Amino acid sequence: MIVLRTLLPWLMALAFLVTGAAAQEMEDRAEFGSGETRLLLRSTTDIAILRPVIRLFADQNPDLTIVYEQWGSNDLFALSRAGCREESEPADAVFSSAVQHMVWLVNAACARQVQSPLASALPPARRWRNELWGITTEPAVIVYNKAAISGAEVPRTRFALLDAMRTRPEFFRGRIATYDIGASGLGFLFAYADSLEATSFGSLLEGFARIEAVATCCSAEIIRGVAEGRYLMAYNVLGSYVLGDQSAEIGFILPEDYTLLLSRAYMIPRQARQPEAAERLLDFLLSTPVQAQLADAGLVSPIDDAENGLAPSARRFIPLSPALLVAMDRNRRAALFAIWDDAFRRATGP
């Protein structure tokens, strides 16, 4: 059952923004290559997804050893802030799906400027101040278990999802998952974007609470739960993890009312010890062959193909811009958490 929020978690979240004092724990680590120069890359992306790409970069740059650290988005933000203040070892490159954190870091003068033809050629929504670049194109999708729900039954809009939860509450009880916005920076970003776009946002929260939806931190855990049948459906899951999973048990749709589109952001910290190597990695990731390889890994999604084509009017790109600083505002965060909390309390009682 989804955990009902109290004031304490929200106060902790706000304190985290102010102090960056939350406990930090690395999720995974790997090394690629054996060169004398050590390039430290910190990322929220699962190592398994990027392993072929980073291995190829290491092969093409034999002078480097790439140390890849995988972190949760909130921990990566705290660690990057500490590195900017020279309170901990800085990364040479940071690559995060919680792009609001990255915009905050750039605005706080924590990033280096880079002049790169490939980076400068990105659309305006995927670059900011020659210090932040969107590498990927990933939609937020609705995931479903194919054995439990036929393609014709899958809700293709948020209003259809509301109707499904309203008409079949026992069928879906405890078996719809979404991100925990307190634990996941990406989950918070998607919820924030939804709150700006959707007249259905408040109703969705109430519907999730009524059928006792499950909130959890991680894309991989959610998708595994859908594949195993513990969840029948999951809302606003980053599509790259679905495309990369290849499980026969799961399917996904791009919501037709609107689909959020995210570009994971890459930044070279101002305190980086190997900025030239980090610039090489930036150009490598943006090169045409590697973008094709990222597409094979699900990180560049085919939103224009015949099967999953998304109408231009339904595309909602989350831009790398100062507008995301609003999502980091303490008062705005507190208001969103309060709406989330209040909807569950009203739906389930005190």
Side-chain angles (χ1 to χ4, degrees), residues 175-199:
R175 302 185 75 186
I176 291 182
T178 191
Y179 293 113
D180 181 342
I181 70 170
S184 167
L186 173 63
F188 177 87
L189 176 63
F190 283 164
Y192 172 75
D194 270 348
S195 73
L196 299 179
E197 288 283 353
T199 56

Side-chain angles (χ1 to χ4, degrees), residues 181-335:
I181 70 170
S184 167
L186 173 63
F188 177 87
L189 176 63
F190 283 164
Y192 172 75
D194 270 348
S195 73
L196 299 179
E197 288 283 353
T199 56
S200 59
F201 181 64
S203 298
L204 275 176
L205 293 183
E206 293 180 0
F208 290 151
R210 192 174 300 113
I211 57 95
E212 301 175 2
V214 176
T216 188
C217 70
C218 309
S219 301
E221 191 280 331
I222 290 176
I223 293 167
R224 184 167 57 251
V226 174
E228 294 172 353
R230 289 185 286 114
Y231 310 135
L232 302 178
M233 196 180 302
Y235 172 74
N236 255 7
V237 178
L238 200 55
S240 53
Y241 286 90
V242 184
L243 291 169
D245 186 271
Q246 302 296 323
S247 294
E249 296 85 0
I250 60 175
F252 74 95
I253 62 103
L254 306 175
E256 294 175 357
D257 48 341
Y258 71 89
T259 293
L260 299 173
L261 293 165
L262 172 83
S263 284
R264 293 178 196 243
Y266 183 98
M267 180 191 84
I268 301 174
R270 179 168 48 87
Q271 305 293 343
R273 295 170 180 173
Q274 302 297 337
E276 186 275 334
E279 290 181 29
R280 272 192 267 164
L281 178 56
L282 170 64
D283 283 338
F284 173 81
L285 292 172
L286 291 175
S287 66
T288 299
V290 176
Q291 284 286 298
Q293 195 169 356
L294 291 174
D296 290 340
L299 292 171
V300 177
S301 297
I303 60 173
D304 292 310
D305 70 12
E307 182 178 357
N308 297 309
L310 188 64
S313 62
R315 302 174 189 183
R316 299 292 188 273
F317 286 92
I318 298 175
L320 303 182
S321 79
L324 286 180
L325 293 173
V326 178
M328 297 295 290
D329 177 78
R330 284 179 289 173
N331 292 332
R332 184 60 65 92
R333 283 177 61 88

Side-chain angles (χ1 to χ4, degrees), residues 42-297:
R42 291 183 177 137
S43 175
T44 60
T45 307
D46 287 6
I47 290 175
I49 293 177
L50 276 185
R51 187 181 301 276
V53 169
I54 302 302
R55 183 180 290 124
L56 178 61
F57 179 70
D59 291 343
Q60 294 182 3
N61 293 269
D63 59 313
L64 300 179
T65 294
I66 298 92
V67 179
Y68 189 112
E69 293 182 358
Q70 180 183 322
W71 295 83
S73 56
N74 289 340
D75 285 349
L76 179 58
F77 178 47
L79 194 61
S80 299
R81 292 183 68 191
C84 183
R85 296 191 298 260
E86 301 186 46
E87 297 173 357
S88 67
E89 180 187 11
D92 297 305
V94 179
F95 188 39
S96 177
S97 56
V99 296
Q100 76 276 21
H101 294 165
M102 303 291 274
V103 168
W104 190 98
L105 290 165
V106 169
N107 192 64
C110 295
R112 298 175 64 95
Q113 284 202 354
V114 172
Q115 301 297 328
S116 161
L118 286 176
S120 297
L122 289 171
R126 291 176 56 188
R127 54 183 167 86
W128 186 39
R129 292 191 350 187
N130 292 324
E131 297 176 30
L132 191 64
W133 306 274
I135 303 297
T136 67
T137 306
E138 304 171 62
V141 303
I142 295 176
V143 185
Y144 63 97
N145 182 286
K146 290 181 178 180
I149 304 175
S150 70
E153 295 176 313
V154 178
R156 307 194 73 84
T157 68
R158 288 162 179 80
F159 290 104
L161 176 57
L162 280 169
D163 287 341
M165 291 190 293
R166 188 177 299 117
T167 57
R168 304 178 72 186
E170 294 307 317
F171 178 70
F172 287 112
R173 190 170 304 282
R175 302 185 75 186
I176 291 182
T178 191
Y179 293 113
D180 181 342
I181 70 170
S184 167
L186 173 63
F188 177 87
L189 176 63
F190 283 164
Y192 172 75
D194 270 348
S195 73
L196 299 179
E197 288 283 353
T199 56
S200 59
F201 181 64
S203 298
L204 275 176
L205 293 183
E206 293 180 0
F208 290 151
R210 192 174 300 113
I211 57 95
E212 301 175 2
V214 176
T216 188
C217 70
C218 309
S219 301
E221 191 280 331
I222 290 176
I223 293 167
R224 184 167 57 251
V226 174
E228 294 172 353
R230 289 185 286 114
Y231 310 135
L232 302 178
M233 196 180 302
Y235 172 74
N236 255 7
V237 178
L238 200 55
S240 53
Y241 286 90
V242 184
L243 291 169
D245 186 271
Q246 302 296 323
S247 294
E249 296 85 0
I250 60 175
F252 74 95
I253 62 103
L254 306 175
E256 294 175 357
D257 48 341
Y258 71 89
T259 293
L260 299 173
L261 293 165
L262 172 83
S263 284
R264 293 178 196 243
Y266 183 98
M267 180 191 84
I268 301 174
R270 179 168 48 87
Q271 305 293 343
R273 295 170 180 173
Q274 302 297 337
E276 186 275 334
E279 290 181 29
R280 272 192 267 164
L281 178 56
L282 170 64
D283 283 338
F284 173 81
L285 292 172
L286 291 175
S287 66
T288 299
V290 176
Q291 284 286 298
Q293 195 169 356
L294 291 174
D296 290 340

